[in-house]
Amino acid sequence: MTRRSVVTGCGRYLPERIVTNDELAKRVDTSDEWIQQRTGICERRIAADGEKTSDLAINAAQKALSSAGISADDVDLIVLATATPDETFPATATRVQAALGMTKGAAFDIQAVCTGFIYALNIADNFIRLGQANTALVIGAETFSRILDWEDRSTCVLFGDGAGAIVLQGTDNSDSAAPRGILSNHLHSDGRHHDCLYVDGGPSSTQTVGHLRMEGPEVFKHAVNNMASVLGEALAANDMTAEDIDWLVPHQANKRILDSTARKLKLSREKVVITIDRHANTSAASIPLALYEAITDGRIQEDDIVVMEAMGGGFTWGASLIRW
Ligand code: UT7
């Protein structure tokens, strides 16, 4: 019997406040032209004062549950990917659990920065395939605006806030020749690259929250190589080629990275789901936010081959391949 995890619902939440490139140009020495040309970003959402990562996550999770047509009572696992938790502890996932009224099962956070959603998905998929959970909420939620150095033009223009969530449910596809659900996951990390992308604070180092620091061009180079190589790995593991991909839903860090990855794989740019123009880089939230758009506007259809991939601080990178 083949037990697989199928996506049965999706939701998102974006803070109301839109911040344009022109607005940022009043704050730091930058321009709408530079930001659009170098990154593809036009605007981003920024959380209101007092609006926390858990608030974003709860909203997205409620919408995902209602799109799946289930209630919190049906959920037995929450895996929340974030690098910007409400507090050092407890896990932001437990706040989501309490707000949803879910009292059974387990809820915890995982931290792989921009690759967080892929890590969370892989963990939830393992729980489901092993029978330890049947219905999981997988959430990516971030308030990166809280860890940006708003004086540093090389980073503050790149990020935004938001949350996306999916419902993942176990299905026994024993008689299908082409079973639906997650077909494979591929995770990597290489901690030697810490200094390329990190936050210069934390409870056990400085006892402060710190600010994001990034060697942009160095990260760019690794991102293009790692994203293309993990995609190749996911395709090879499933005896597929780039031609089999219906939709690529990548982490949204830079439009030029997405274009280069598509070029490397000879994948048509129309098959790449892009939201970076409106959301900027929302770290662990970017993939479920992009998924939400491609599901709700009807691009992603049942049985489509959908590949998600990401690369982030650490470095961490990974991919998941799904027959939708
Ligand atoms: O999500 C996690 C993974 N993150 C990523 O994948 C991000 C990867 N990196 C990138 O996306 C790009 O490297 C950036 C968008 C961060 C930077 O673009 P770049 O084309 O690599 O620019 P650069 O850092 O090489 O800077 C080029 C020039 C520099 O000026 P000089 O030295 O040539 O005079 C920068 O000082 O652009 C300048 N610059 C800016 N100018 C206007 C840097 N930031 C800005 C800015 N506005 N905001």
Side-chain angles (χ1 to χ4, degrees):
M1 187 173 304
T2 322
R3 185 164 164 80
R4 300 230 186 258
S5 311
V6 175
V7 178
T8 57
C10 189
R12 77 160 182 201
Y13 176 79
L14 289 163
E16 264 176 44
R17 185 164 164 236
I18 295 173
V19 175
T20 63
N21 292 342
D22 284 334
E23 248 180 285
L24 290 181
K26 290 181 193 147
R27 207 164 165 163
V28 287
D29 181 15
T30 189
S31 65
D32 177 49
E33 192 194 1
W34 191 94
I35 300 171
Q36 284 210 41
Q37 272 183 6
R38 305 310 296 164
T39 71
I41 298 166
C42 303
E43 60 186 40
R44 72 283 295 138
R45 301 295 182 106
I46 299 293
D49 289 346
E51 198 171 33
K52 299 188 293 292
T53 294
S54 61
D55 297 319
L56 277 51
I58 290 161
N59 267 291
Q62 282 166 336
K63 288 178 189 136
L65 290 178
S66 99
S67 94
I70 61 170
S71 78
D73 287 340
D74 301 311
V75 177
D76 41 28
L77 176 70
I78 298 179
V79 188
L80 188 150
T82 189
T84 46
D86 289 10
E87 295 149 340
T88 301
F89 80 84
T92 301
T94 59
R95 282 200 181 262
V96 177
Q97 182 190 30
L100 295 178
M102 170 189 156
T103 50
K104 59 171 186 170
F108 56 88
D109 291 355
I110 73 104
Q111 216 273 53
V113 206
C114 300
T115 319
F117 188 76
I118 301 289
Y119 271 65
L121 194 63
N122 192 157
I123 292 165
D125 180 38
N126 287 352
F127 268 71
I128 287 172
R129 282 189 298 106
L130 284 170
Q132 198 177 348
N134 194 51
T135 302
L137 261 170
V138 184
I139 308 171
E142 303 277 18
T143 46
F144 258 50
S145 60
R146 312 306 196 219
I147 55 165
L148 294 176
D149 175 352
W150 288 99
E151 311 279 307
D152 175 11
R153 70 174 182 174
S154 71
T155 53
C156 76
V157 303
L158 304 175
F159 296 90
D161 299 335
I166 61 166
V167 173
L168 206 56
Q169 292 189 283
T171 313
D172 293 317
N173 282 297
S174 40
D175 10 311
S176 171
R180 294 178 55 219
I182 297 180
L183 302 187
S184 69
N185 297 293
H186 308 269
L187 299 188
H188 296 276
S189 61
D190 183 349
R192 290 174 300 175
H193 300 287
H194 170 277
D195 292 354
C196 289
L197 179 49
Y198 68 105
V199 167
D200 62 4
S204 91
S205 56
T206 59
Q207 295 79 55
T208 61
V209 172
H211 291 117
L212 181 148
R213 306 292 173 204
M214 177 164 72
E215 301 285 344
E218 194 58 23
V219 178
F220 189 102
K221 210 171 61 196
H222 284 276
V224 173
N225 288 335
N226 291 344
M227 301 263 269
S229 87
V230 78
L231 245 170
E233 186 185 325
L235 290 171
N238 292 284
D239 281 329
M240 291 183 186
T241 67
E243 285 183 10
D244 294 305
I245 298 176
D246 292 299
W247 300 106
L248 175 63
V249 187
H251 167 53
Q252 315 275 320
N254 187 319
K255 173 84 166 34
R256 289 186 295 134
I257 295 177
L258 308 185
D259 290 345
S260 300
T261 310
R263 240 187 342 262
K264 268 195 162 191
L265 286 156
K266 299 192 174 61
L267 187 71
S268 141
R269 279 158 75 170
E270 285 68 50
K271 291 184 167 184
V272 184
V273 178
I274 291 180
T275 53
I276 188 161
D277 50 332
R278 285 152 295 126
H279 301 165
N281 181 347
T282 55
S283 183
S286 87
I287 290 178
L289 283 170
L291 258 187
Y292 176 88
E293 287 206 351
I295 294 169
T296 50
D297 67 17
R299 271 178 285 177
I300 295 180
Q301 295 289 326
E302 198 167 303
D303 286 325
D304 278 355
I305 295 297
V306 178
V307 190
M308 305 173 216
E309 57 157 7
M311 136 97 192
F315 291 141
T316 53
W317 66 103
S320 296
L321 192 147
I322 303 187
R323 189 186 310 281
W324 205 260

